[in-house]
Amino acid sequence: MSREAMEMPPKGGFSFDLCKRNDMLVKKGLKEPSFLKTGTTIVGLIFKDGVILGADTRATEGPIVADKNCEKIHYMAPNIYCCGAGTAADTEAVTDMVSSQLKLHRYHTGRESRVVTALSLLKSHLFSYQGYVSAALVLGGVDVTGPHLHTIYPHGSTDTLPFATMGSGSLAAMAVFESKYREGLTRDEGVKLVSEAICSGIFNDLGSGSNVDICVITKGAKEYLRNHMLPNPRTYISEKGYSFSKKTEVLRTKITPLREMVEVIEGGDAMEE
Amino acid sequence: MSIFEYNGCALVAMVGKNCFAIASDRRLGVQLQTIATDFQKIYKIHEKLFIGLSGLATDAQTLYQRLVFRHKLYELREERDMKPETFASLVSALLYEKRFGPYFCQPVIAGLGDEDKPFICTMDSIGAKELAKDFVVAGTASESLYGACESMFKPDMEPEELFETISQALLSSVDRDCLSGWGGHVYVVTPTEVTERILKGRMD
């Protein structure tokens, strides 16, 4: 291996050493690969006591559903959660990175994180990559200054809103919000409205599907309702399943028993000098 | 043609009752010409952790060498094997580092974690992890594999039944893909033993 490969973990950030080779392959006529996207419907709204975030759970790779039950509501801080749409690797990496930065900041300041801190960290990272880090986020949380809800676009612009939707199913969800949202909703009304908006995305948008995830954040408490609604159960399973009476033809079999881990207990005789 | 279709591959991993199985095809090709029919795509990281790498074969081998390097260092420092969840995060980080000039590889990771609980996951070429509780697929035959596994999979299968199911799913899917096939290579791992089997398939 070359000298650069022997260096122990690089200090973080992106490494561009394969770019030249990849460009050469593309010029030769090979198509670039497609990445895992989260087609998605993600929403957030502010209710009487805090913020409710909602997301669907489908991850697509081109036209194929790669994951029927993925998690799109990412943890940022105990009082801040973020929904992500766009390229799955980018949303996961950017939310993980800012989450660790927030934790270090909490240790440094000794205070609960504020939503605007997360917002500034995210927008400056996304802007510096000029939209190439394709992550569209809905950030929500409750801190000492009250409940906050923001949307962040891949190029780094942000909006602060009482209710927000992002992703390919955003128009379907926004239609529900625009007709039924009002200020001062109770928790149950808010959860019901968010579920309706996500369901609207699930049933009308092809890039969103499967189940509804909800996260309710209030002052001092949060409730992560994973798979709050399962409107698409699998009903066509045959109870017998498949059974293969004719065995698969095997050319060679090799069985390796796994070693038993033996505990060595110290405390034998001390060495005589 | 896509870069992923240059060499051809089919990979699948399934979870059973306290065990897992990971299977691959055996073809190595250069577009439509077959170069080898015994190419290894599933590598052992440690006794209870396997990684299958699909996509461009040269990137798969390079990535495997880097992972072995990092795992050996980890073993020296921590004096124990890496847990599958940790290993998945390591692979994801290595792939995301090359976000704008990626390795053309899709890994499938399968291992037994704490208390021998089976763990499987797959990623796209830039490290987006996809954890699943039933099965994961990758490679040129992935679309057929999705279909075959959706219908053939049952939860909590014993190792023998799991082997039959994963083999049938693999062989039937690669029969519908020109770029993969020429037999199968299946590992079934339980807490006490690892069974490696070579399957007989259509050689076309």
Side-chain angles (χ1 to χ4, degrees):
Chain A
M1 281 212 263
S2 67
R3 175 96 53 80
E4 66 213 29
M6 293 305 285
E7 278 163 20
M8 252 323 288
K11 290 179 191 57
F14 294 121
S15 128
F16 296 94
D17 26 305
L18 291 178
C19 285
K20 250 188 159 173
R21 174 204 74 156
N22 292 0
D23 277 343
M24 182 271 293
L25 284 170
V26 168
K27 279 200 190 61
K28 273 198 164 176
L30 296 173
K31 245 172 57 229
E32 287 238 358
S34 70
F35 305 135
L36 195 75
K37 287 191 161 281
T38 52
T40 304
T41 308
I42 47 176
V43 306
L45 64 69
I46 296 192
F47 72 110
K48 206 165 54 149
D49 307 317
V51 169
I52 306 180
L53 298 172
D56 74 306
T57 60
R58 174 182 281 184
T60 54
E61 196 156 10
I64 307 288
V65 176
D67 194 349
K68 292 187 283 188
N69 205 359
C70 72
E71 279 186 38
K72 299 186 191 179
I73 305 185
H74 307 281
Y75 168 89
M76 300 284 270
N79 57 327
I80 307 174
Y81 275 75
C82 184
C83 307
T87 304
D90 287 334
T91 57
E92 273 179 43
V94 107
T95 49
D96 276 349
M97 186 191 75
V98 171
S99 172
S100 345
Q101 287 177 346
L102 283 176
K103 183 141 200 191
L104 285 170
H105 193 249
R106 279 203 292 284
Y107 282 136
H108 205 71
T109 57
R111 288 178 171 76
E112 195 186 51
S113 297
R114 299 192 188 194
V115 183
V116 285
T117 317
L119 181 71
S120 304
L121 289 168
L122 285 165
K123 76 193 288 188
S124 54
H125 180 83
L126 291 174
F127 179 72
S128 64
Y129 285 96
Q130 289 291 295
Y132 281 96
V133 174
S134 170
L137 310 164
V138 169
L139 176 71
V142 179
D143 56 30
V144 286
T145 50
H148 297 276
L149 180 68
H150 303 281
T151 53
I152 307 163
Y153 290 83
H155 285 263
S157 61
T158 59
D159 285 317
T160 306
L161 300 159
F163 58 92
T165 67
M166 291 281 260
S168 56
S170 61
L171 275 81
M174 189 51 100
V176 173
F177 273 173
E178 284 287 6
S179 46
K180 298 190 180 166
Y181 181 83
R182 49 169 222 286
E183 295 205 357
L185 288 164
T186 64
R187 180 196 175 281
D188 291 329
E189 285 172 344
V191 169
K192 190 160 158 294
L193 184 57
V194 165
S195 305
E196 245 187 274
I198 300 286
C199 281
S200 163
I202 287 174
F203 292 119
N204 298 105
D205 174 42
L206 300 179
S208 319
S210 296
N211 319 119
V212 180
D213 281 353
I214 305 246
C215 186
V216 182
I217 311 173
T218 50
K219 193 165 179 62
K222 62 153 194 283
E223 257 183 277
Y224 186 43
L225 305 165
R226 169 86 171 130
N227 288 359
H228 171 72
M229 262 178 79
L230 293 108
N232 295 303
R234 196 174 159 197
T235 50
Y236 50 85
I237 310 178
S238 99
E239 290 96 33
K240 306 197 303 284
Y242 275 84
S243 54
F244 304 103
S245 49
K246 197 164 170 210
K247 300 259 172 215
T248 322
E249 280 193 67
V250 175
L251 292 174
R252 215 161 62 226
T253 310
K254 183 169 129 188
I255 304 181
T256 320
L258 293 180
R259 284 174 297 150
E260 284 281 312
M261 294 303 285
V262 178
E263 288 284 319
V264 175
I265 302 167
E266 291 294 308
D269 307 332
M271 288 227 293
E272 300 293 333
E273 276 291 285
Chain B
M1 212 188 220
S2 152
I3 289 175
F4 278 109
E5 292 168 12
Y6 190 72
N7 293 122
C9 182
L11 273 177
V12 55
M14 278 191 189
V15 165
K17 197 173 170 119
N18 292 333
C19 62
F20 69 84
I22 181 168
S24 75
D25 71 316
R26 305 189 76 209
R27 176 183 181 269
L28 173 70
V30 168
Q31 294 185 318
L32 295 175
Q33 183 188 32
T34 306
I35 305 288
T37 57
D38 57 359
F39 189 65
Q40 188 189 12
K41 295 169 194 186
I42 299 178
Y43 301 98
K44 186 177 94 158
I45 300 289
H46 64 74
E47 278 174 353
K48 293 183 181 174
L49 180 57
F50 287 78
I51 181 168
L53 291 163
S54 73
L56 197 61
T58 171
D59 277 352
Q61 289 185 331
T62 306
L63 189 61
Y64 164 66
Q65 287 165 2
R66 279 183 204 233
L67 287 168
V68 155
F69 171 59
R70 297 289 292 266
H71 181 256
K72 281 187 177 165
L73 270 176
Y74 183 93
E75 268 190 351
L76 285 170
R77 288 189 177 135
E78 301 254 334
E79 294 182 0
R80 64 180 177 90
D81 289 329
M82 223 189 232
K83 283 191 236 179
E85 294 88 356
T86 317
F87 185 71
S89 296
L90 170 66
V91 180
S92 177
L94 272 180
L95 291 173
Y96 193 71
E97 215 188 338
K98 304 258 187 283
R99 162 70 171 89
F100 298 115
Y103 285 115
F104 297 121
C105 247
Q106 274 173 315
V108 164
I109 296 164
L112 288 175
D114 283 335
E115 277 137 48
D116 292 329
K117 187 162 174 299
F119 170 86
I120 50 170
C121 100
T122 184
M123 285 168 217
D124 70 348
S125 56
I126 45 174
K129 265 188 290 196
E130 196 198 302
L131 308 165
K133 300 215 170 52
D134 39 17
F135 59 86
V136 290
V137 304
T140 48
S142 60
E143 295 182 22
S144 314
L145 276 166
Y146 273 125
C149 292
E150 268 294 343
S151 44
M152 295 184 194
F153 180 81
K154 282 193 302 242
D156 285 333
M157 284 188 278
E158 294 294 326
E160 284 310 312
E161 204 191 344
L162 183 65
F163 164 70
E164 284 300 319
T165 309
I166 201 176
S167 310
Q168 292 290 336
L170 180 75
L171 291 174
S172 47
S173 306
V174 303
D175 283 352
R176 283 285 183 177
D177 177 31
C178 312
L179 300 165
S180 47
W182 270 266
H185 202 150
V186 185
Y187 288 85
V188 179
V189 180
T190 64
T192 49
E193 62 180 16
V194 171
T195 312
E196 180 192 337
R197 292 187 182 92
I198 311 280
L199 304 174
K200 179 169 172 201
R202 284 173 60 138
M203 304 302 264
D204 63 354

Coordinates of all heavy atoms in Angstrom, one line a residue, chain A residues 173-205:
Chain A
A173 N -48.3 17.1 1.8 CA -48.4 17.4 3.2 C -48.8 18.8 3.5 O -49.5 19.1 4.4 CB -47.1 17.0 3.9
M174 N -48.2 19.7 2.7 CA -48.5 21.1 2.9 C -50.0 21.4 2.7 O -50.6 22.3 3.3 CB -47.6 22.0 2.0 CG -47.7 23.5 2.3 SD -47.4 23.8 4.1 CE -45.7 24.4 4.1
A175 N -50.6 20.7 1.8 CA -52.0 20.9 1.5 C -52.8 20.7 2.8 O -53.7 21.4 3.1 CB -52.5 20.0 0.4
V176 N -52.5 19.6 3.5 CA -53.2 19.3 4.7 C -52.9 20.3 5.8 O -53.8 20.8 6.4 CB -52.7 17.9 5.2 CG1 -53.3 17.6 6.6 CG2 -53.1 16.8 4.3
F177 N -51.7 20.8 5.9 CA -51.4 21.8 6.9 C -52.1 23.1 6.6 O -52.6 23.7 7.5 CB -49.8 22.0 6.9 CG -49.1 21.1 7.8 CD1 -47.7 21.1 7.9 CD2 -49.7 20.2 8.7 CE1 -47.0 20.3 8.7 CE2 -49.0 19.4 9.5 CZ -47.7 19.4 9.5
E178 N -52.0 23.5 5.4 CA -52.6 24.8 5.0 C -54.1 24.9 5.3 O -54.6 25.9 5.7 CB -52.3 25.2 3.5 CG -50.9 25.6 3.2 CD -50.6 27.0 3.7 OE1 -51.4 27.6 4.4 OE2 -49.5 27.5 3.4
S179 N -54.8 23.7 5.1 CA -56.2 23.8 5.4 C -56.5 23.6 6.9 O -57.5 24.1 7.4 CB -56.9 22.8 4.5 OG -56.3 21.5 4.6
K180 N -55.7 22.8 7.6 CA -56.2 22.4 9.0 C -55.3 23.0 10.1 O -55.7 22.9 11.2 CB -56.2 20.9 9.1 CG -57.2 20.3 8.2 CD -57.4 18.8 8.5 CE -58.4 18.3 7.5 NZ -58.5 16.8 7.5
Y181 N -54.2 23.7 9.8 CA -53.4 24.2 10.9 C -54.0 25.4 11.5 O -54.6 26.3 10.9 CB -52.0 24.6 10.4 CG -51.1 25.1 11.5 CD1 -50.4 24.2 12.3 CD2 -50.9 26.5 11.7 CE1 -49.6 24.7 13.3 CE2 -50.1 26.9 12.7 CZ -49.5 26.0 13.5 OH -48.6 26.5 14.5
R182 N -53.9 25.5 12.9 CA -54.2 26.8 13.5 C -53.3 26.9 14.8 O -52.8 25.9 15.2 CB -55.7 26.8 13.9 CG -56.2 25.7 14.7 CD -57.6 25.9 15.3 NE -57.6 25.3 16.6 CZ -57.7 24.0 16.8 NH1 -57.8 23.2 15.9 NH2 -57.7 23.6 18.1
E183 N -53.2 28.1 15.3 CA -52.3 28.2 16.4 C -52.9 27.6 17.7 O -54.1 27.5 17.8 CB -52.0 29.7 16.7 CG -51.3 30.3 15.5 CD -50.5 31.5 15.9 OE1 -50.6 32.0 17.1 OE2 -49.8 32.1 15.0
G184 N -52.1 27.2 18.6 CA -52.6 26.7 19.9 C -53.2 25.4 19.9 O -54.1 25.1 20.6
L185 N -52.7 24.5 19.0 CA -53.2 23.1 19.0 C -52.8 22.4 20.2 O -51.7 22.6 20.8 CB -52.6 22.4 17.7 CG -53.1 22.8 16.4 CD1 -52.1 22.2 15.3 CD2 -54.5 22.2 16.1
T186 N -53.6 21.4 20.7 CA -53.2 20.6 21.8 C -52.3 19.5 21.2 O -52.2 19.3 20.0 CB -54.4 19.9 22.5 OG1 -55.0 19.1 21.5 CG2 -55.4 21.0 22.9
R187 N -51.7 18.7 22.2 CA -50.8 17.6 21.8 C -51.5 16.6 20.9 O -51.0 16.2 19.8 CB -50.2 16.9 23.0 CG -49.2 15.8 22.6 CD -49.0 14.9 23.8 NE -48.1 13.8 23.4 CZ -48.6 12.7 22.8 NH1 -49.8 12.6 22.5 NH2 -47.7 11.7 22.5
D188 N -52.6 16.2 21.3 CA -53.3 15.1 20.5 C -53.8 15.6 19.1 O -53.7 14.9 18.1 CB -54.5 14.6 21.3 CG -54.1 13.8 22.5 OD1 -53.0 13.2 22.4 OD2 -54.8 13.8 23.5
E189 N -54.3 16.9 19.1 CA -54.7 17.5 17.8 C -53.4 17.6 16.9 O -53.5 17.3 15.7 CB -55.3 18.9 18.0 CG -56.7 18.8 18.6 CD -57.1 20.3 18.9 OE1 -56.3 21.2 19.0 OE2 -58.3 20.4 19.1
G190 N -52.3 18.0 17.5 CA -51.1 18.2 16.7 C -50.6 16.9 16.1 O -50.3 16.8 14.9
V191 N -50.6 15.8 17.0 CA -50.1 14.5 16.5 C -51.1 14.0 15.4 O -50.6 13.5 14.4 CB -50.1 13.5 17.7 CG1 -49.9 12.1 17.1 CG2 -49.0 13.8 18.6
K192 N -52.4 14.2 15.6 CA -53.3 13.8 14.6 C -53.1 14.5 13.2 O -53.1 13.9 12.2 CB -54.7 14.0 15.1 CG -55.8 13.4 14.3 CD -57.1 13.3 15.1 CE -58.3 13.2 14.2 NZ -58.6 14.4 13.4
L193 N -52.8 15.8 13.3 CA -52.6 16.6 12.1 C -51.4 16.2 11.4 O -51.3 16.0 10.2 CB -52.6 18.1 12.4 CG -52.5 19.0 11.3 CD1 -53.6 18.8 10.3 CD2 -52.5 20.5 11.8
V194 N -50.3 16.0 12.2 CA -49.0 15.5 11.6 C -49.2 14.2 10.9 O -48.7 13.9 9.8 CB -47.9 15.5 12.6 CG1 -46.7 14.8 12.1 CG2 -47.5 16.9 13.0
S195 N -49.9 13.2 11.6 CA -50.1 11.9 11.0 C -50.9 12.0 9.7 O -50.5 11.4 8.7 CB -50.9 11.0 11.9 OG -50.3 10.9 13.2
E196 N -51.9 12.9 9.7 CA -52.6 13.1 8.5 C -51.8 13.6 7.3 O -51.9 13.2 6.2 CB -53.7 14.1 8.7 CG -55.1 13.6 8.6 CD -56.1 14.7 8.7 OE1 -56.5 15.1 9.9 OE2 -56.5 15.2 7.7
A197 N -50.9 14.6 7.7 CA -50.1 15.2 6.6 C -49.1 14.1 6.1 O -48.9 14.0 4.9 CB -49.3 16.3 7.2
I198 N -48.5 13.3 6.9 CA -47.6 12.3 6.5 C -48.3 11.2 5.7 O -47.8 10.8 4.6 CB -46.8 11.6 7.6 CG1 -46.0 12.6 8.4 CG2 -45.9 10.5 7.2 CD1 -44.8 13.1 7.7
C199 N -49.5 10.8 6.1 CA -50.3 9.9 5.4 C -50.6 10.4 4.0 O -50.6 9.7 3.0 CB -51.6 9.5 6.1 SG -51.3 8.4 7.4
S200 N -50.9 11.7 3.9 CA -51.2 12.3 2.6 C -50.0 12.1 1.7 O -50.1 11.8 0.5 CB -51.5 13.8 2.8 OG -51.4 14.5 1.6
G201 N -48.8 12.3 2.3 CA -47.6 12.1 1.5 C -47.4 10.7 1.1 O -47.1 10.3 0.0
I202 N -47.6 9.8 2.1 CA -47.4 8.3 1.8 C -48.3 7.8 0.7 O -47.9 7.1 -0.2 CB -47.7 7.5 3.1 CG1 -46.6 7.7 4.1 CG2 -47.9 6.0 2.8 CD1 -46.8 7.1 5.5
F203 N -49.6 8.3 0.7 CA -50.5 7.7 -0.3 C -50.5 8.4 -1.6 O -50.8 7.8 -2.6 CB -51.9 7.7 0.3 CG -52.1 6.8 1.4 CD1 -52.5 7.2 2.7 CD2 -51.9 5.4 1.3 CE1 -52.6 6.3 3.7 CE2 -52.0 4.5 2.3 CZ -52.4 5.0 3.6
N204 N -50.1 9.7 -1.6 CA -50.1 10.4 -2.9 C -48.7 10.5 -3.6 O -48.7 10.8 -4.8 CB -50.7 11.8 -2.7 CG -52.1 11.7 -2.2 OD1 -52.4 11.9 -1.1 ND2 -53.0 11.3 -3.1
D205 N -47.6 10.4 -2.8 CA -46.3 10.6 -3.4 C -45.6 9.3 -3.6 O -45.6 8.5 -2.6 CB -45.5 11.5 -2.5 CG -44.0 11.6 -3.0 OD1 -43.8 11.8 -4.2 OD2 -43.1 11.6 -2.2

